[in-house]
Amino acid sequence: MIDRAGRPAAARAVKRLVEAAGLLLGVVAVSFLLFSVLPGDPARTILGPNASVEAVENLRRTLGTDRPLPEQFATYLGRLARLDLGRSIIDGRSVGAELTGRFRVSATLGLLAGLMAAGVSYAINLGVFLWPRLTPLYHLTRLGVVTPTYCSGVLAALLFGVLFPLVPLGGYGSADTAWALWLLPAAVAALYPAALMTGVLRQRIREAAASSFVRAAAATGAGPMRLFHATLLPVVAVSWLSVWVNQLSLIFVAAFVLEVIFTIPGVGLLLIRTVQDKDLPMLQGIILVNASFFIGLSSLSETLFDWLDPRRSVDASA
Amino acid sequence: MRRPDPRLWLPVALFAAAPFALMAAGEARDPFLVDTARAYLAPGPDQPFGTDALGRDLLARTLYAAGLSLKVVAQSVVLSLVLALLLGGAAGYAAGRPLDRVIGWTISLLYTVPFIFVVVAILTVLQPGLERAYVVIGCIGWAAPARLVRATVIELRGTRYVLAQRAFGFSPTQILTTTLLPRSLLPAVLSLAYFVPELIGIEVGLSFFGLGAPPPTPTLGRLIYDGLSEFQTAWWLSLTPAGVLLAMTASVLACTHLMLRGHVAPAPTP
Amino acid sequence: MSTTSRGPLRWALVLLLATAGGWAAGCGGSGPEPAGAARELVVAADNDVTTLDPIRSQEPYSLRVIGQIFEGLVTLDADNGLEAVLAESWSHSETYDTWTFQIRRGVHFHEDDVFGEPRTREVTADDVAFSFERLVSPDSYPAFVLADTLAGVAEFQAGDAPGVAGITVTGPHTVEFRLQQPDPTFLHRITSPWFTVFPREAVEQGPDVFGRTKAVGTGPFRLVSRSDTEVVLKRNAGYWRPVDGDVERLVFRVIRNEQLRLSELRNGRLGIMSLPPALMPAMTDPDRPARNDGAVALRPELAEEFEALAFPTFNSHFVGFNCERLDVHLRRAISLGIDRHEVVSAITRGGATLAASTVPSGLLGYQPPYPDDVHDLERAREELRQSAFDPDNDRIQLLVHEQDNADLLGQLLQAQLARLGIEVDIQQLDYNTVVDRMIRGDTEAFVLALEYVFSAPEPILHNIFHSSKIPVPNFWHYANPAVDSALDDLRAVGDRETANRLAQDVERQIVDDAPAAFLYQSRHVVVFRGDFDGVAYNGHGTPLLWRVRLAEGDGGRE
């Protein structure tokens, strides 16, 4: 029981890596199975509604989509083992190259939104802690979660067009995108996680504030600023941050939706088309990159949390 | 564990009845009556919410849609909550052991494959349909709150209160049901309650794959989405259903807070 | 508390995690502002420009860009007349089964590295042969246009022949097309931007380059850069013919949300945008409907700054039936029971003309057999009585999808047919699935629109109604021996007037057999800044932007 906590950090890291690899393999297998049942036929998609049945059958043979599923999966795994994500069935472009650029765009948006959400939840809780009169502000954040992302996204964009008629809203794909343009979709994507994180942080802080050692710290005459940062925050940090890591996945989903509204050339814009076209290599590529990102993030955060809060690793073995 | 305050059942009963009441109110005004001569009427005495492109009464459609969406989303949320408490609690209690590994693995899997496409794929194999879609969503949506539950359980397990319970010979099930799960309820319920508008919106995504409600059945998500494409000409098409959604979500959130406040909040201080 | 002792270091690490966002954002990158936006025209695209490779293009947004970069042998001008482009002249055998093209001399491809020095070369008959062979290759989207026409395509597609036997280069600037059967309308098969000419050197760069970062043609504009959301072109300085227009830089900007597109137009950052039906009421004057000459009246507050025109394009919107599953009386009843005037006003809001048959009006002088609606409730009820359909117990399943307002149309038809006593269940699916089910015959009725690649009546009719085309593109599984033989006979008729008259007879028969209830032909409505001159779209929906003159001073962007 003690072994997990007592094991050297390196061994634990290796173990995490093995687990992550296993999970990734699982994701690949499950998503392959899932998407192979999607309706549609890439050969028909390539040739369109006018092509003859023979032409489509010919192409299916060339593409290999007429092969049994296990064989297709084995071929795919073989290529993956050589670190080759393959090519799009629909138009032959390289999946790896396509995804690198797009994922970077989505990650920009997602992480920016994540930072905004964390910042808002921190700032509001600090504000309410220092000046209880600001409590209505806390309730205000909840407004962010009353409409679906696509609705707040479109309304925010239209409002922006009215308020700042001179600032182009778009052109996210080109090199001259202004930095500030990212803020609008990111803020919309941050609405939901900001509300949730503010709520969770507030709840945790109230609990912690009631505990004996915080009351003891307060009794020593530490100022509220110091009390918040030095005593309260460290206690609640891990659960707050784990909520953050948790929310990132949802933030990314929201970011995908916003990409469609704001025409941002990220993964989201690609995803819908890929599913409708049943472009399996591209789809698997998206899942794989997405999964690697989140699995990496969660391993990293686990390691970090262990370190931030040594109780966790001991506890985990109990 | 204390018995729940009987007064708490009132809002629960209200919420259970609301979908049916809303749908009935909508049907009374006929949400399906097409009359193109009355297309695009702005809100007025005869049509408080205005009319849509086919001249249908938007109030009727919104009420009906609100009831329908509330019904299926509520089912899905309850399902997710039960699964999250069960699986998240079990994982948290068995942290580090194989059970936790298996559950954690499943959660990560659900997390890393975009949610909606798992739903799409499953629904393609099963029969599509709105109710079924939300059951599938409920069966997947437990992953996020389950992580919160697991984290809370792990955190609480180390407290002196729980250690004392253990020392007194409480069984793991007792500790889970009397102490750990009630205290994990808040974050789980909150994360799901906050997600209600998004869950209503997911129907839009599903309808692109033909897996949502078949037209002309209105859902709240679809009404808002379709209305937004005509926002600058017919603002009422999107803003009135969005307003209803806002009111609905706000009351769900308010009730959740009300029900949970004082009921599960007192911390088992060390 | 032990957690506070190592505090600062831990928080530094947390920050590190957070700055990952900063890294990614930095890579998303801001670069230098583009050079002076003089004589720039920004055209809005409603959806992603997925590719610039003609054989892969499946949607109008990329075809409109392809039409600026590439040119074919012939095309359609602003009045939809035939225009010689890379073909200087042509001739055909007496039986219309061999066509010989003289390729225009002195036309050069856009300057590009793929050619080595001197970075360009003249277009020859070999390029035409290469391009057409690629256009009918097994994975080419537009291959269906020539698959049943050009000799040797079937063998080539099946992999039994190394090339297409029907294409012969007979001289450096002469190429000959041999057809499987006579076809007087062959030229009208190849007027769309799909059938254009591109150099082998560019194609050989592979699918990651050609059509994505590189597109080399002979057109009036050449590619500067492309992403899925923005394509930048500039004027081709070496264009082979004199140009009236003065656009130096041409940008296609994708804005998927129609409301944002409108807001960008109003804010002056778009020069031209197309109007989908959803925006028609927002933009047009409700009191003054679109006129038949193409002028569309804008709302007074927009009319000062903008102008709008509606261009006829070759398409047909309809609800199709599976003839094997719905009997002819029921199909007729539905076709007669639909009020097309209501459909056109409620669904397209002036963006379409009523069409009770499928071949677009005005195509090579063609006049449809029924100029107005065929709506007749009396006859519809009579047909319904003769049908095996039992209104009390039977229901029809209608498939709709996310494109062309199909779901709204489906809902209106459902209401109209309910008045007739026919109950309709609507099922919404994604477009590809609807097509899939139509082909498999797994449907009773479906809402669909066809964009016609052919700019002549005969190939359109033959392609979708000849029984040899079951199940694709004869989706309706429609077989009428009389129509088959009439269509076969039409392939030998060279005289335009006779051909039009015979085609009209065929259409009359088809409307009577009702494999579909044809509803309307949508028009391409575009809004542009009022100080532009020469804005025109041809029947393929291709904008002829090389003719556009911008106002003095600025372009679409301020």
Side-chain angles (χ1 to χ4, degrees):
Chain A
M1 289 293 183
I2 305 297
D3 64 331
R4 186 162 180 260
R7 211 182 288 166
R12 248 161 61 194
V14 168
K15 190 154 175 284
R16 280 223 168 91
L17 215 62
V18 172
E19 276 175 10
L23 184 58
L24 210 55
L25 194 68
V27 169
V28 169
V30 168
S31 55
F32 193 91
L33 200 70
L34 272 180
F35 293 126
S36 60
V37 304
L38 283 180
D41 172 3
R44 175 55 72 186
T45 305
I46 294 172
L47 295 180
N50 284 296
S52 69
V53 173
E54 301 80 60
V56 172
E57 266 165 19
N58 274 337
L59 185 59
R60 216 176 280 147
R61 250 192 317 279
T62 321
L63 295 175
T65 50
D66 60 333
R67 298 276 172 206
L69 216 56
E71 191 184 323
Q72 287 189 48
F73 187 55
T75 317
Y76 181 74
L77 275 189
R79 256 211 326 262
L80 213 56
R82 296 192 301 273
L83 292 179
D84 177 9
L85 285 177
R87 289 180 171 278
S88 156
I89 282 196
I90 302 298
D91 57 13
R93 72 204 132 129
S94 145
V95 171
E98 180 76 18
L99 286 185
T100 319
R102 284 182 175 268
F103 195 74
R104 195 178 284 158
V105 170
S106 293
T108 307
L109 187 59
L111 289 172
L112 195 59
L115 286 182
M116 283 172 125
V120 165
S121 68
Y122 161 80
I124 287 184
N125 273 289
L126 178 62
V128 171
F129 186 78
L130 294 182
W131 303 285
R133 237 180 313 154
L134 292 181
T135 311
L137 208 61
Y138 159 69
H139 296 291
L140 202 67
T141 57
R142 276 193 231 149
L143 275 183
V145 299
V146 292
T147 58
T149 306
Y150 62 79
C151 182
S152 25
V154 171
L155 295 180
L158 289 174
L159 187 67
F160 185 88
V162 174
L163 293 179
F164 309 101
L166 293 181
V167 185
L169 194 62
Y172 284 94
S174 59
D176 56 325
T177 315
W179 238 100
L181 272 186
W182 292 99
L183 295 179
L184 184 62
V188 177
L191 284 176
Y192 169 75
L196 184 67
M197 287 176 71
T198 310
V200 169
L201 185 58
R202 181 173 150 88
Q203 179 68 22
R204 286 277 176 275
I205 283 178
R206 284 165 88 184
E207 283 171 16
S211 70
S212 51
F213 78 91
V214 174
R215 275 179 289 167
T220 61
M225 198 73 175
R226 193 179 144 70
L227 194 63
F228 186 84
H229 286 110
T231 313
L232 280 174
L233 213 50
V235 179
V236 301
V238 167
S239 58
W240 180 53
L241 284 177
S242 60
V243 173
W244 189 74
V245 172
N246 250 323
Q247 292 308 306
L248 265 187
S249 157
L250 290 176
I251 294 176
F252 269 63
V253 173
F256 289 171
V257 172
L258 290 163
E259 282 170 15
V260 177
I261 293 168
F262 286 80
T263 319
I264 302 170
V267 178
L269 216 50
L270 185 69
L271 199 53
I272 295 173
R273 204 168 67 220
T274 310
V275 173
Q276 289 186 338
D277 291 352
K278 209 181 175 189
D279 188 351
L280 280 179
M282 191 61 92
L283 203 51
Q284 288 287 80
I286 295 175
I287 302 290
L288 204 64
V289 173
N290 204 43
S292 315
F293 179 78
F294 283 111
I295 292 169
L297 190 74
S298 105
S299 314
L300 196 69
S301 61
E302 286 288 317
T303 314
L304 186 70
F305 294 159
D306 280 356
W307 193 42
L308 276 173
D309 187 355
R311 271 185 313 172
R312 285 166 50 94
S313 44
V314 181
D315 276 352
S317 62
Chain B
M1 189 187 173
R2 291 169 306 166
R3 290 241 143 250
D5 187 336
R7 275 171 307 173
L8 286 173
W9 292 110
L10 187 68
V12 171
L14 269 179
F15 268 112
F20 302 99
L22 286 169
M23 283 171 76
E27 269 177 335
R29 285 184 68 94
D30 197 347
F32 304 110
L33 183 72
V34 170
D35 179 3
T36 50
R38 286 172 51 81
Y40 293 117
L41 293 182
D46 284 345
Q47 63 287 338
F49 279 19
T51 61
D52 70 1
L54 298 181
R56 292 176 295 203
D57 182 60
L58 199 60
L59 175 62
R61 288 180 74 71
T62 306
L63 287 177
Y64 186 87
L68 184 61
S69 292
L70 192 62
K71 188 174 102 187
V72 290
V73 167
Q75 287 170 355
S76 147
V77 164
V78 168
L79 188 58
S80 286
L81 186 65
V82 170
L83 286 173
L85 286 177
L86 282 180
L87 296 170
Y93 203 81
R97 277 184 263 150
L99 180 65
D100 177 35
R101 291 282 160 78
V102 171
I103 295 175
W105 199 82
T106 318
I107 292 177
S108 307
L109 202 69
L110 289 175
Y111 237 83
T112 40
V113 181
F115 188 104
I116 185 157
F117 298 111
V118 181
V119 181
V120 167
I122 292 176
L123 281 178
T124 313
V125 181
L126 304 173
Q127 283 288 319
L130 189 67
E131 303 246 349
R132 211 178 293 250
Y134 274 92
V135 170
V136 173
I137 290 172
C139 290
I140 296 168
W142 60 274
R147 271 199 176 174
L148 294 177
V149 171
R150 177 180 177 272
T152 319
V153 168
I154 291 180
E155 199 177 305
L156 288 175
R157 233 179 20 159
T159 58
R160 277 176 244 165
Y161 185 81
V162 173
L163 291 179
Q165 278 187 322
R166 206 178 285 170
F168 280 119
F170 283 74
S171 73
T173 326
Q174 274 174 312
I175 299 177
L176 263 176
T177 50
T178 59
T179 311
L180 298 181
L181 290 187
R183 300 236 31 249
S184 331
L185 200 60
L186 180 74
V189 167
L190 274 189
S191 88
L192 280 170
Y194 280 5
F195 207 51
V196 162
E198 220 57 69
L199 280 175
I200 286 174
I202 280 175
E203 207 270 327
V204 173
L206 290 178
S207 67
F208 285 128
F209 297 97
L211 303 171
T217 310
T219 63
L220 214 42
R222 214 32 229 245
L223 281 183
I224 299 174
Y225 181 84
D226 289 344
L228 280 172
S229 68
E230 298 179 82
F231 181 76
Q232 287 168 77
T233 351
W235 54 267
W236 59 89
L237 289 181
S238 51
L239 289 194
T240 50
V244 168
L245 176 58
L246 193 142
M248 224 167 79
T249 325
S251 52
V252 167
L253 285 183
C255 279
T256 327
H257 279 274
L258 212 66
M259 285 170 70
L260 296 174
R261 178 185 296 160
H263 181 57
V264 281
T269 34
Chain C
M1 200 57 207
S2 67
T3 32
T4 48
S5 61
R6 284 195 312 203
L9 189 59
R10 282 181 193 161
W11 285 106
L13 242 157
V14 173
L15 274 177
L16 200 70
L17 190 70
T19 42
W23 159 79
C27 297
S30 48
E33 283 286 312
R39 301 247 160 261
E40 180 182 72
L41 171 61
V42 184
V43 182
D46 304 5
N47 212 328
D48 294 9
V49 178
T50 49
T51 180
L52 296 179
D53 182 348
I55 78 159
R56 309 242 179 250
S57 172
Q58 306 198 350
E59 23 75 30
Y61 317 104
S62 55
L63 274 180
R64 281 174 203 155
V65 186
I66 286 170
Q68 313 305 315
I69 301 173
F70 298 96
E71 289 176 316
L73 295 173
V74 288
T75 189
L76 296 180
D77 62 20
D79 304 316
N80 292 327
L82 205 61
E83 182 177 34
V85 190
L86 293 185
E88 192 159 37
S89 62
W90 53 83
S91 57
H92 57 82
S93 64
E94 213 160 295
T95 47
Y96 297 102
D97 54 2
T98 307
W99 291 75
T100 311
F101 294 88
Q102 291 297 325
I103 308 304
R104 197 179 293 279
R105 284 160 205 272
V107 177
H108 286 76
F109 285 114
H110 299 155
E111 280 192 15
D112 197 280
D113 297 335
V114 293
F115 299 114
E117 282 305 323
R119 305 194 72 234
T120 182
R121 63 174 179 75
E122 194 183 10
V123 178
T124 64
D126 283 324
D127 293 311
V128 177
F130 169 78
S131 300
F132 272 78
E133 194 163 293
R134 186 161 179 268
L135 283 161
V136 296
S137 62
D139 60 344
S140 160
Y141 183 86
F144 72 93
V145 176
L146 296 181
D148 63 343
T149 304
L150 198 56
V153 172
E155 294 80 358
F156 176 59
Q157 289 207 336
D160 299 337
V164 180
I167 307 175
T168 323
V169 174
T170 51
H173 286 89
T174 323
V175 63
E176 190 184 277
F177 290 85
R178 199 156 45 73
L179 310 186
Q180 297 167 17
Q181 298 144 304
D183 188 358
T185 61
F186 178 66
L187 292 172
H188 289 275
R189 285 180 180 265
I190 56 172
T191 49
S192 73
W194 270 310
F195 290 91
T196 49
V197 174
F198 32 81
R200 178 191 299 271
E201 294 92 327
V203 174
E204 281 170 352
Q205 303 283 312
D208 284 330
V209 177
F210 184 67
R212 299 193 61 75
T213 57
K214 226 180 240 313
V216 182
T218 60
F221 294 96
R222 44 178 300 188
L223 184 68
V224 176
S225 68
R226 188 210 74 95
S227 69
D228 274 5
T229 53
E230 189 170 75
V231 183
V232 180
L233 310 178
K234 67 174 185 189
R235 174 202 282 277
N236 171 16
Y239 194 46
W240 56 271
R241 58 177 156 178
V243 167
D244 324 325
D246 62 358
V247 175
E248 286 294 335
R249 189 178 145 92
L250 178 59
V251 179
F252 286 86
R253 218 180 106 194
V254 181
I255 307 174
R256 292 170 57 120
N257 186 286
E258 53 271 82
Q259 293 294 320
L260 296 193
R261 223 179 298 139
L262 177 56
S263 123
E264 288 292 276
L265 179 81
R266 282 177 166 166
N267 288 337
R269 278 184 298 277
L270 290 175
I272 303 181
M273 76 176 264
S274 307
L275 277 196
L279 284 182
M280 288 291 286
M283 305 288 288
T284 53
D285 193 334
D287 303 325
R288 291 188 295 156
R291 295 203 313 259
N292 269 340
D293 66 355
V296 177
L298 288 176
R299 282 176 184 266
E301 69 268 25
L302 290 166
E304 278 177 29
E305 216 182 331
F306 301 103
E307 208 177 304
L309 285 173
F311 298 98
T313 48
F314 306 148
N315 60 65
S316 179
H317 293 246
F318 53 84
V319 46
F321 310 115
N322 184 320
C323 296
E324 285 161 11
R325 299 181 60 168
L326 302 186
D327 67 56
V328 65
H329 298 292
L330 177 58
R331 298 188 321 249
R332 251 181 229 152
I334 295 174
S335 177
L336 294 166
I338 293 174
D339 178 354
R340 290 171 179 75
H341 285 290
E342 188 185 23
V343 168
V344 169
S345 68
I347 305 293
T348 73
R349 298 170 216 160
T353 42
L354 191 152
S357 55
T358 195
V359 175
S361 167
L363 203 63
L364 284 181
Y366 178 79
Q367 288 309 315
Y370 301 100
D372 199 2
D373 198 356
V374 293
H375 183 55
D376 186 340
L377 273 180
E378 214 44 50
R379 274 183 62 207
R381 292 215 175 86
E382 179 52 39
E383 291 290 345
L384 192 58
R385 268 192 289 278
Q386 294 177 34
S387 154
F389 183 83
D390 172 10
D392 294 328
N393 295 310
D394 297 342
R395 304 173 74 86
I396 294 177
Q397 192 189 49
L398 176 68
L399 301 189
V400 302
H401 46 81
E402 72 285 2
Q403 297 186 10
D404 310 309
N405 259 350
D407 58 339
L408 197 63
L409 178 55
Q411 293 176 55
L412 179 58
L413 295 178
Q414 184 184 45
Q416 287 191 355
L417 293 176
R419 286 174 220 152
L420 192 66
I422 300 176
E423 291 298 325
V424 173
D425 291 323
I426 300 177
Q427 189 180 4
Q428 178 156 19
L429 297 168
D430 78 280
Y431 179 79
N432 286 339
T433 310
V434 172
V435 170
D436 218 48
R437 286 188 50 179
M438 281 164 12
I439 293 169
R440 279 192 281 123
D442 180 16
T443 160
E444 292 176 334
F446 45 89
V447 171
L448 196 72
L450 290 178
E451 292 287 334
Y452 292 127
V453 191
F454 311 107
S455 47
E458 303 96 301
I460 291 178
L461 292 172
H462 190 274
N463 194 42
I464 56 179
F465 295 120
H466 199 279
S467 63
S468 67
K469 296 288 188 165
I470 295 174
V472 259
N474 186 337
F475 307 116
W476 12 71
H477 299 246
Y478 168 72
N480 181 340
V483 167
D484 279 356
S485 74
L487 287 172
D488 288 335
D489 293 346
L490 255 178
R491 295 194 83 142
V493 179
D495 177 59
R496 207 48 257 158
E497 265 178 46
T498 319
N500 280 349
R501 193 168 37 75
L502 291 173
Q504 209 183 41
D505 292 343
V506 172
E507 274 226 293
R508 199 169 285 122
Q509 180 64 46
I510 287 167
V511 170
D512 192 47
D513 289 342
F518 299 99
L519 305 173
Y520 59 89
Q521 181 190 347
S522 73
R523 297 193 291 175
H524 192 126
V525 184
V526 291
V527 178
F528 50 94
R529 295 167 65 92
D531 44 14
F532 292 177
D533 238 3
V535 174
Y537 282 62
N538 70 15
H540 292 305
T542 310
L544 309 174
L545 296 173
W546 56 283
R547 303 168 16 135
V548 171
R549 293 189 69 82
L550 307 175
E552 285 306 309
D554 68 332
R557 196 178 270 181
E558 291 178 56

